[in-house]
Amino acid sequence: MAYRFGKARIVALVVAGIVAVTSPQAASAQMFLTQPDFAKGPIEGSDPLVGLPIPGATPAEYRAHMLWNLRAGLNVAALQCQFSPFMRAVDNYNAILGHHSKELASAYATMTAYFKRVRGPKEGQKAFDDYTTSTYNNFSTLQAQYGFCQTATAIAKEALTRPKGELYLTAQQRMRELRSSLVPFTDRIAAYNPYLIPAPTLPPLDQACYDRKDRLKKKCATPAYAGK
């Protein structure tokens, strides 16, 4: 893959704490008595709800901005939701990186070019790194973790059904819902029977958890590792 997230990713992990995913049927059976009704509906990349402002962006840059925010949210989900094996958080995220690699690489190149255009060639890369770090942090949640994880899992599974080059359609259709799921929803089965869902554990923060293609390694998905 032609892109790396390096320092920005590591800073985000340390500052943010970070997240994962769950299958629709399994999640509805195991997490909620009453399903949360998060806001849904299509959204454009220029909508402030998508993420940080990128003034003066072109339509292509707003599209890349939308994809980059979706990828960041699913990366956070891949880390924070490892408390339930039914979510397949790491597997889903890694599969998305592989299946949509060209589209994500294009989004990375477009966003890097945007920041170099508006901030200059010297400051552009740092500005993009800061933007990426803040984007990770903006998806960090604890009180809303179960709702976010359930929503992110459903979105990740949909993303894997999209043909290559069409991940943007998932971002356009589901970003509003993903952002809305960061609001706490307290009707959890876990509140009544803590044995049904294990308590969340801290995510791994080690850079060694990522391979050269930025995929999460299997060893970092184990409770034993997360507890170190």
Side-chain angles (χ1 to χ4, degrees):
M1 195 175 296
Y3 55 95
R4 297 298 305 280
F5 312 121
K7 289 188 273 186
R9 182 194 63 219
I10 298 305
V11 171
L13 296 183
V14 173
V15 174
I18 319 217
V19 214
V21 265
T22 163
S23 66
Q25 288 87 356
S28 62
Q30 296 187 28
M31 286 197 175
F32 298 101
L33 294 171
T34 303
Q35 291 301 301
D37 185 20
F38 297 126
K40 300 178 177 65
I43 192 170
E44 294 299 323
S46 57
D47 193 304
L49 185 64
V50 170
L52 297 172
I54 51 170
T58 65
E61 289 164 345
Y62 274 127
R63 174 171 171 156
H65 170 67
M66 176 97 76
L67 277 171
W68 208 243
N69 275 265
L70 178 68
R71 189 206 62 79
L74 295 180
N75 182 288
V76 168
L79 288 167
Q80 245 181 20
C81 304
Q82 293 180 30
F83 59 85
S84 172
F86 299 102
M87 296 178 185
R88 297 180 58 82
V90 173
D91 289 342
N92 285 345
Y93 177 69
N94 287 343
I96 289 169
L97 289 185
H99 184 59
H100 295 291
S101 60
K102 290 184 178 179
E103 193 173 1
L104 290 170
S106 177
Y108 172 82
T110 299
M111 292 308 299
T112 301
Y114 164 80
F115 282 100
K116 288 182 178 180
R117 176 170 64 82
V118 300
R119 298 290 294 272
K122 290 185 178 181
E123 294 295 325
Q125 186 61 53
K126 182 181 183 302
F128 175 66
D129 289 345
D130 291 343
Y131 157 88
T132 299
T133 299
S134 296
T135 297
Y136 276 117
N137 293 345
N138 289 341
F139 278 107
S140 179
T141 180
L142 180 60
Q143 298 301 320
Q145 189 176 35
Y146 287 103
F148 175 76
C149 287
Q150 176 167 308
T151 302
T153 296
I155 293 173
K157 295 183 73 173
E158 178 186 315
L160 289 174
T161 69
R162 290 284 187 188
K164 294 179 179 180
E166 295 185 7
L167 182 60
Y168 172 73
L169 296 178
T170 294
Q172 188 177 53
Q173 295 296 322
R174 305 297 295 271
M175 181 60 73
R176 186 186 305 278
E177 184 181 357
L178 186 62
R179 287 291 186 187
S180 298
S181 71
L182 295 170
V183 176
F185 183 85
T186 58
D187 181 16
R188 299 193 301 269
I189 289 180
Y192 305 99
N193 187 346
Y195 298 102
L196 292 181
I197 304 175
T201 57
L202 291 175
L205 303 179
D206 193 346
Q207 188 173 9
C209 283
Y210 293 83
D211 65 16
R212 296 178 68 85
K213 293 185 177 180
D214 209 58
R215 296 173 300 196
L216 288 165
K217 295 179 180 179
K218 290 287 186 181
K219 70 173 185 178
C220 297
T222 63
Y225 187 92
K228 288 185 179 180

